[in-house]
Amino acid sequence: MSEVSASAGAPGELPEGVRLTEPTDGIRVVTEAVPGVRSVALGMWVRTGSRDEIPKEAGVSHFLEHLLFKGTEQRTARQIAESVEAVGGEMNAFTTKEYTAFYTRLLDEDLDLGLDILCDIISAPAFRPDELEAERQVILEEILMHEDEPSELVHDLFTEALFPEHPLGREVLGTADSISALSRDTIAGHFLAHYRPPNLVLAAAGNLHHDEVAAGLERRMSPIPGQRPARDNGELAPPRRQIVCTRSTEQANGVGGMRALSRGDDDRFALSALNQVLGGGMSSRLFQEIREQRGLVYAVYSYRSAYLESGALAVYAGTAPSRASEVLQLIGDELDRLLQDGVTDHELALAKGHLKGSLALALEDSGGRMNRIGRSELVHGEVLSVSDLVERTEAVTREDVQRVAARVLGNERVVALVGPFEEDALTEMALTSTVASP
């Protein structure tokens, strides 16, 4: 077992207050002590998500997320819920394309309870047949609910078009057919293959002592042999230019964008600034032009996603079907202007200020801090200090943003649309760039 201690400002070392224990045959433990608070947040982070599934088992990672709360060998689902809520705590989980997380937030005096429950559900899920079938119906209802929300569905369609025939393009929830076909043995087999120490990180933040958390984990979970499953999903095929889902809706929901940078790319800080200028807030170009000046939408914003080998820069807008073509054209025009002219000094200063302030505000509670260190250690294998993140953001120049614009905005653009349109409706609505990439 080895431990990395904090050494503020030293390259490769952990930020002040953060400690990491890396056992040779156990689960990594990363904590951040936050003196003065009364809470503690604990999270078990698992390096498995929807991209780690074969097509016929689509949705199994999300299914597992649900099932681990349904009971263990020692606890029923009701006992798990009651024990956390009886002390005023909360417990939840989520699944993404590349990882799954289970977390709880309680008073610091209930740290042992949180460890008890997290370790129990991660190490000894019961997978009782009746509970499995009940949760299968819950997930099928969740899929139906998701499909009834055009403003959510359109993002999945965009990702499907951006990464066709690739696990990154599949929905995290799976499909009704794949969820209905999953057997208990298949689900249990996925658990046994992926929920192993090399794939796990325990993160904790709040009023705590690292040694107590690490020792508490060691008492509750014996080392289990296993290796980190390989993650190789093949080459990315060219994106589909457009995809339409015909629905009798009062509003058209559209997402347009292109492939962007992977999660470890050094230009990711410049891309964050570019995204903020484009559609990251009320002062952004898209919000000011399309909503404030023209009144064409209620909601318009941009966002970025980053994965192991690629990423996405996307713009969402909801508008009247009769205005969809105009709104998509305006989005395309703004992308072209950024590609050709870059950002102004004023825009870049505003973007940096927002990014730095948002980072600080996200660390106001133990849950936000736990999320930051858990995801960082699991996904990146390092936890950067807040000061380092601020410095990297502050160091972004207009030239950096222009370089990123050339790398990203000139990529083939994809449009997804949900609304009362025919399948070929996007022929006249594409975001094709008219500007040559610098």
Side-chain angles (χ1 to χ4, degrees):
M1 177 181 296
S2 63
E3 181 181 331
V4 180
S5 300
S7 181
E13 297 291 345
L14 291 167
E16 184 176 359
V18 176
R19 293 176 62 185
L20 171 67
T21 297
E22 296 181 287
T24 56
D25 55 358
I27 300 169
R28 283 170 287 166
V29 180
V30 59
T31 69
E32 181 173 10
V34 188
V37 301
R38 286 292 314 281
S39 66
V40 62
L42 300 163
M44 192 69 78
W45 296 72
V46 190
R47 183 186 169 274
T48 187
S50 59
R51 71 168 299 162
D52 300 298
E53 305 160 353
I54 60 177
K56 68 178 182 179
E57 296 175 5
V60 65
S61 298
H62 176 253
F63 205 148
L64 264 174
E65 174 213 312
H66 279 240
L67 283 178
L68 296 199
F69 285 118
K70 293 301 290 183
T72 68
E73 296 174 2
Q74 303 297 324
R75 292 177 170 89
T76 66
R78 177 182 287 275
Q79 288 172 331
I80 292 172
E82 288 182 349
S83 61
V84 173
E85 293 183 0
V87 296
E90 57 184 354
M91 191 170 190
N92 214 328
F94 60 89
T95 306
T96 72
K97 294 183 183 298
E98 296 192 320
Y99 56 87
T100 307
F102 303 82
Y103 61 91
T104 183
R105 186 165 178 260
L106 317 100
L107 292 174
D108 52 8
E109 63 193 47
D110 297 312
L111 172 64
D112 281 344
L113 172 64
L115 274 175
D116 278 343
I117 293 176
L118 277 181
C119 291
D120 197 18
I121 66 173
I122 289 293
S123 63
F127 298 139
R128 299 181 183 95
D130 56 335
E131 294 172 342
L132 188 151
E133 292 307 317
E135 205 60 28
R136 190 193 309 275
Q137 298 307 311
V138 170
I139 295 172
L140 290 173
E141 290 298 325
E142 185 178 0
I143 291 173
L144 292 174
M145 181 178 68
H146 182 70
E147 292 179 348
D148 277 345
E149 293 289 343
S151 61
E152 296 182 9
L153 176 63
V154 70
H155 297 282
D156 288 330
L157 295 177
F158 169 76
T159 306
E160 178 185 335
L162 199 64
F163 302 110
E165 306 303 321
H166 191 276
L168 286 176
R170 291 201 297 263
E171 293 185 22
V172 171
L173 297 179
T175 67
D177 288 341
S178 67
I179 294 301
S180 297
L182 286 173
S183 68
R184 182 189 185 280
D185 288 346
T186 297
I187 296 169
H190 191 83
F191 172 82
L192 290 173
H194 292 272
Y195 282 62
R196 284 294 177 264
N199 246 19
L200 302 177
V201 169
L202 175 67
N207 189 19
L208 53 78
H209 298 283
H210 177 86
D211 292 339
E212 293 179 2
V213 175
L217 176 68
E218 188 174 4
R219 287 195 304 272
R220 291 169 173 85
M221 295 188 68
S222 302
I224 303 173
Q227 295 181 342
R228 175 177 292 186
R231 177 175 277 173
D232 181 10
N233 298 124
E235 296 294 323
L236 293 171
R240 293 174 57 185
R241 185 164 174 264
Q242 58 189 40
I243 186 169
V244 176
C245 178
T246 304
R247 292 286 178 87
S248 298
T249 58
E250 296 297 321
Q251 189 177 54
N253 291 270
V255 174
M258 66 290 295
R259 288 181 185 168
L261 308 182
S262 65
R263 66 186 187 217
D265 197 292
D266 288 339
D267 273 337
R268 63 188 184 276
F269 295 94
L271 181 59
S272 292
L274 174 66
N275 173 65
Q276 186 62 32
V277 172
L278 175 63
M282 294 175 64
S283 65
S284 68
R285 291 189 181 188
L286 291 176
F287 192 91
Q288 287 295 314
E289 177 68 19
I290 300 177
R291 172 172 162 152
E292 298 296 271
Q293 298 297 321
R294 299 175 183 262
L296 296 175
V297 301
Y298 174 75
V300 59
Y301 58 85
S302 65
Y303 61 93
R304 56 176 293 256
S305 303
Y307 309 111
L308 178 63
E309 64 277 79
S310 186
L313 179 65
V315 176
Y316 166 83
T319 188
S322 61
R323 295 173 172 174
S325 181
E326 181 182 2
V327 169
L328 288 174
Q329 183 62 54
L330 289 168
I331 293 171
D333 290 345
E334 202 57 69
L335 292 171
D336 285 346
R337 277 192 286 272
L338 275 172
L339 177 59
Q340 186 170 31
D341 303 325
V343 301
T344 67
D345 288 333
H346 178 66
E347 287 176 323
L348 183 55
L350 287 176
K352 289 180 180 180
H354 176 85
L355 292 170
K356 291 184 293 184
S358 297
L359 174 63
L361 291 173
L363 303 178
E364 284 290 295
D365 64 70
S366 57
R369 289 176 179 266
M370 183 277 293
N371 273 294
R372 187 180 87 84
I373 63 174
R375 182 183 182 278
S376 295
E377 178 59 33
L378 183 80
V379 174
H380 296 287
E382 64 173 349
V383 179
L384 297 177
S385 68
V386 173
S387 61
D388 193 12
L389 293 171
V390 169
E391 288 174 7
R392 294 195 188 190
T393 299
E394 189 58 46
V396 172
T397 65
R398 287 180 60 192
E399 291 72 24
D400 294 331
V401 176
Q402 187 66 52
R403 181 180 63 254
V404 169
R407 291 184 62 191
V408 174
L409 300 186
N411 292 339
E412 184 173 357
R413 296 176 186 175
V414 169
V415 183
L417 194 66
V418 178
F421 303 103
E422 300 298 327
E423 290 187 4
D424 60 353
L426 290 180
T427 303
E428 302 300 325
M429 300 185 190
L431 303 185
T432 304
S433 175
T434 59
V435 177
S437 179

